[in-house]
Amino acid sequence: MKYPKIDESKLAEVMKIIDTAANLMAEKDCEADMVAKQELNTLQKQLIKVTGNPKINIRDYRRYWAATNLETVGRSALYLPPQKTGLTDAQLTELIRRIFELDFDVPKNALEATNDYFLEVLKVETGLDNITDYIYWPEEAGLNEDASLDEITAKILADKK
C-alpha cells in the first residue's frame, strides 16, 4: 500500500500555526473581536501557504486537544486531501483491514494521522460520509456491535455509492 508522504521539515511550523490559532480561538471571540478575527485570518493564510492545501480551515483545529495531540493534527494538516482513484473491491478490502487493525508501516508518532488519512481515502472511495461508524461503531451502520472485520467489510462494499 502506498503511504502518503508529508514534508517533515514543515511540521514544526504547522504545529505552531495550529496551536497559536487554537489558543486564540479559545481565548477570544474571533468573530466579534476584529483584531482577533484578523489575526486568525492571517494564521489561516499562513496555514494554506505552508501546507499547500487551499481548502484547509484553521477553525477545524479549535480545541484540537479535546480529541488528539498537536503533533497528530500537525501531521494531518500536512496531508493533502485524498482524491478518488477508483480502488477495486480487493483494494478496499485491504484498506479496511489495515484501518481496522491499525496495520500501517509508519513510525508510532505518525500512526494516528496516517490512519485518519486513510479513513478519508475510504470515505472518498466509497462515498460513505459515515465511514467511521462502520468501523468503530458498527451498530450505527446497521451491524451488530461486535461485528467482525469480514461483516464490516461486506457491509461497506454493499453500501458504497
Side-chain angles (χ1 to χ4, degrees):
M1 176 161 299
K2 183 178 172 187
Y3 297 104
K5 300 286 186 206
I6 63 169
D7 186 344
E8 295 279 342
S9 69
K10 295 179 179 181
L11 183 58
E13 185 177 1
V14 168
M15 289 169 51
K16 182 179 179 187
I17 293 167
I18 289 172
D19 198 45
T20 301
N23 286 313
L24 178 65
M25 290 183 282
E27 295 168 6
K28 299 190 177 177
D29 180 349
C30 293
E31 294 305 316
D33 182 330
M34 287 300 143
V35 173
K37 184 175 185 174
Q38 181 58 43
E39 191 175 338
L40 190 61
N41 287 338
T42 298
L43 291 166
Q44 170 71 40
K45 290 174 186 170
Q46 290 173 353
L47 189 62
I48 288 170
K49 183 178 180 185
V50 174
T51 64
N53 180 356
K55 295 183 179 183
I56 199 164
N57 187 340
I58 196 83
R59 287 170 177 80
D60 291 345
Y61 300 102
R62 166 181 254 134
R63 295 188 177 95
Y64 68 83
W65 51 78
T68 190
N69 62 56
L70 182 56
E71 183 176 354
T72 295
V73 296
R75 287 180 178 283
S76 292
L78 285 166
Y79 286 123
L80 291 177
Q83 302 296 314
K84 186 169 185 165
T85 60
L87 295 179
T88 65
D89 284 356
Q91 290 170 317
L92 289 171
T93 298
E94 175 65 10
L95 181 56
I96 294 163
R97 182 194 66 76
R98 286 178 178 255
I99 292 168
F100 189 82
E101 296 175 356
L102 289 175
D103 180 20
F104 298 103
D105 186 24
V106 296
K108 185 175 180 169
N109 64 340
L111 185 58
E112 186 178 347
T114 302
N115 196 58
D116 289 348
Y117 172 80
F118 281 113
L119 278 167
E120 284 299 311
V121 169
L122 192 56
K123 181 178 170 182
V124 168
E125 290 289 339
T126 63
L128 299 171
D129 288 335
N130 62 335
I131 197 67
T132 56
D133 289 347
Y134 286 79
I135 294 172
Y136 300 117
W137 304 282
E139 66 277 9
E140 296 294 322
L143 294 162
N144 289 328
E145 181 179 326
D146 58 348
S148 70
L149 173 58
D150 290 339
E151 292 169 321
I152 291 168
T153 300
K155 179 77 169 150
I156 290 171
L157 294 177
D159 291 355
K160 74 178 181 175
K161 299 173 183 170

